């Protein structure tokens, strides 16, 4: 060992530990402490999940049977037959682990005292290593039926993906900015974009999108007692959307005053926007010096398409829309003359309002406690006050979503959560339930997760993370088959007493999974907000044999104006630009662009016919430039979120798809395995050809009652 990590050699001695075997399927333990950092925790979870999958799908029992046949043949002196079964066991273990374990992770598996099966993935040393040992029980029945399907690859098909996204968001008071911060405010400067004359604020829609819907929400306020809203004309690409002041919905009196807050929500003709760069501005009509604009959100729905292997299944789970405001002390918020209200609920379905009279306040110290279970009483979508966040209070809304991912021979390929916020939202936190406690996957500012051995995650260069609101966050490595929970909490920073409306609309979790032996590996960027309107971040990715597509999905701040995407070889050299545009894409085909531009960093061929080279530590760099004018979005700090990820897709099956079943009768075992295989293929959208199904029965009655299995994983 040197200071870079462990050195692995082919003759490394493996120590197995004697276990007391209970009547349950297996017992297990970790060789290393549970937490040595977030990446290490992921590696441990990967090892545990991989062993569980190998046991559940019968891989370990098939390999054990092959090892037993190898042992029998060796004892008979039949070296040819012995080598055949040893090779079978090696191929079964290597094939399944190669698609379960990402290409940037080496692995070695050892069953009992048989030769180890290892694939170092080109990693000669490592600085992060885990070892996990399980002891599996031998099958209770005497025969194992095995059925497999003679298919070599999954064809790529077009996958339409429905996307709801915030095209533009403003979350500040317009009169905080020049020129609206003079005495007469909007009365003198009646255009947002720019002051005394119309000037477009640019936003973009991905080039390959098919637009399905559009909505915008416009806030209004008056500092005059019981003052009226302004009227407005929201002009999108030259299309007028005129709003009478009487069309605004009254929300509330601001705390301790009779100053008024309003909102307007509409679903205009989505033909007003198009792919590429668009523009809009707002003309305030009959505005007085008392009026102000506190928020604006422009949200679109579109469909985009990219190719994935056949057999990839998708589910989308929608969060409940939630919006409103809360205050720490009873007020007359509704204007009914009774100072007994602690908050107002805004119903996005029809724009109506209601009040509640129960005090709902939670301190940040409680909110961010060890397990964060205290928030369970507040994540029902009803607004509450979050107290003393970075020294400030604010209105907050929290929603939790529970959903199930099938657990029968399913592997999760990709997963992400989409946030669409409006109103005065300045901060957000997103959590995923790990089966025991909530785990933070995003916080607007730097956050310290538990336990204490995990270091603080750096989410923003700005202390309070103002305006660091994600669009898409990758959570595929946090989801599990079976039951899942995801929680979103959003809130307003309140430097004074203006507890304002915050809202979450059209937000959802998307999950891709498969029952087939398909590989889809993700290399996610870290979520981060820079100070300033430009931010650049890099990420490495690896490819294995038979990779077919390499995509780069993009998640940047809603005020992103320009993006540049570059690639570079593992050994260094100059960056090569594959995408440079004012249009922020949903995704790009990274491999096609690398080949088409002739860079051949990780490809061979051309844009129409390319192959992907096997390799590690290929580099991508994403540079985002946001608006140079802070008044356009309320802040102009550039962000990149973990929804930005390189995805490597493999259509080639590394082994035939197969199932196992157990019975005291070999024919019954085979028939059950065949039926399970047909069911699994059908559920994946594949109609099996009976002529391609093969089956056999292996006697397992002489397998040991307990079989130790050790899996080592390592990364650099």
């Amino acid at each position: 060992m040197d200071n870079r990590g462990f050195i692995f050699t082919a003759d490394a001695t493996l120590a197995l530990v004697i276990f007391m075997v209970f009547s349950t399927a297996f017992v297990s333990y970790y060789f290393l402490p549970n937490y040595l950092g977030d990446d290490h925790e992921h590696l441990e979870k990967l090892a545990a999940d991989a062993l569980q999958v190998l046991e559940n799908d019968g891989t370990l029992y098939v390999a054990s049977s092959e090892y037993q046949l190898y042992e029998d043949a060796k004892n008979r002196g039949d070296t040819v037959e012995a080598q055949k079964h040893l090779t079978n066991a090696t191929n079964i273990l290597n094939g399944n682990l190669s698609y379960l374990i990402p290409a940037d992770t080496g692995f070695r598996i050892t069953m009992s005292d048989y030769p180890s099966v290892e694939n170092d993935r080109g990693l000669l040393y490592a600085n992060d290593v885990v070892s996990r040992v399980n002891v599996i029980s031998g099958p209770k029945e005497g025969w194992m039926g095995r059925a497999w399907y003679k298919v070599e690859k999954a064809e790529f098909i077009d996958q339409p993906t429905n996307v709801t996204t915030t095209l533009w968001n403003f979350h500040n008071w317009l009169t905080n900015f020049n020129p609206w911060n003079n005495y007469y405010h909007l009365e003198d400067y009646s255009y947002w974009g720019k002051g005394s004359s119309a000037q477009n604020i640019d936003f973009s829609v991905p080039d390959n999108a098919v637009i399905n819907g559009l909505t915008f929400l416009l806030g209004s306020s008056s500092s005059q007692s019981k003052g009226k809203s302004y009227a407005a004309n929201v002009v999108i690409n030259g299309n007028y959307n005129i709003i009478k002041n009487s069309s605004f919905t009254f929300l509330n009196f601001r705390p301790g005053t009779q100053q008024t807050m309003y909102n307007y929500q509409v679903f205009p003709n989505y033909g007003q926007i198009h792919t590429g760069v668009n523009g809009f501005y707002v003309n305030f009509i009959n505005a007085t010096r008392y009026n102000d604009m506190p928020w604006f959100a422009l949200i679109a729905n579109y469909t985009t398409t990219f190719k994935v292997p056949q057999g990839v299944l998708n589910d989308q789970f929608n969060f409940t829309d939630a919006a409103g405001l809360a205050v720490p002390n009873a007020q007359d918020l509704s204007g009914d003359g009774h100072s007994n209200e602690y908050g107002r609920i805004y119903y996005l379905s029809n724009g109506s309002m209601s009040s509640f009279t129960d005090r709902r306040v939670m301190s940040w110290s409680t909110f961010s406690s060890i397990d964060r279970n205290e928030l369970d009483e507040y994540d029902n979508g009803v607004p509450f006050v979050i107290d003393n966040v970075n020294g400030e209070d604010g209105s907050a809304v929290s929603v939790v979503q529970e959903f199930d991912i099938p657990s029968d021979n399913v592997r999760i390929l990709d997963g992400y959560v989409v946030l669409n916020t409006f109103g005065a939202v300045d901060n957000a936190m997103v959590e995923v339930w790990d089966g025991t406690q909530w785990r933070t996957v995003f916080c607007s500012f730097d956050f310290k997760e538990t336990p204490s051995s995990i270091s603080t995650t750096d989410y923003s260069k700005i202390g309070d993370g103002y305006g660091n609101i994600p669009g898409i966050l990758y959570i595929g490595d946090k989801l599990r088959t079976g039951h899942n929970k995801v929680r979103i909490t959003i809130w307003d920073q309140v430097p004074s007493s203006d507890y304002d409306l915050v809202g979450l609309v059209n937000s959802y979790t998307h999950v891709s999974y498969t029952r087939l032996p398909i590989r889809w590996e993700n290399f996610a960027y870290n979520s981060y907000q820079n100070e300033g309107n430009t931010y650049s971040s890099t990420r490495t990715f690896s490819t294995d044999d038979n990779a077919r597509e390499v995509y780069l999905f993009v998640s940047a701040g809603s005020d992103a104006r320009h993006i540049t995407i570059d690639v570079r070889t593992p050994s260094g050299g100059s960056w090569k630009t594959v995408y440079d545009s004012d249009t922020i894409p949903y995704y790009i085909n990274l491999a096609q662009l690398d080949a088409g531009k002739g860079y051949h960093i990780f490809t061979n061929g051309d844009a129409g016919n390319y192959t992907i080279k096997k390799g590690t530590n290929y580099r991508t760099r994403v540079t985002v430039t946001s608006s140079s004018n802070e008044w356009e979005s309320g802040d102009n700090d550039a962000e990149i979120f973990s929804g930005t990820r390189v995805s490597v897709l493999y259509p080639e099956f590394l082994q035939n798809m197969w199932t196992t079943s157990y019975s005291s009768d070999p024919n019954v075992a085979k028939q059950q395995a065949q039926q399970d295989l047909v069911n699994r293929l059908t559920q994946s959208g594949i109609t099996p050809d009976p002529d391609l199904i093969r089956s056999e029965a292996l006697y397992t009655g002489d397998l040991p009652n307990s079989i130790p299995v050790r899996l080592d994983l390592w990364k650099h």
Side-chain angles (χ1 to χ4, degrees), residues 167 200-206 211 236-237 270-280 298 561 582-583:
L167 300 176
N200 272 337
I201 297 172
D202 292 338
F203 65 92
S204 69
V205 178
I211 300 167
I236 304 174
N237 291 324
Y270 60 79
Q272 295 186 25
I273 63 173
H274 53 75
T275 59
V277 177
N278 298 251
F280 80 95
L298 182 65
R561 280 282 173 71
D582 291 337
T583 298

Side-chain angles (χ1 to χ4, degrees), residues 595-608:
K597 292 181 177 295
Y599 299 147
H600 297 144
I601 302 296
F602 59 93
T603 61
N604 292 312
D606 55 38

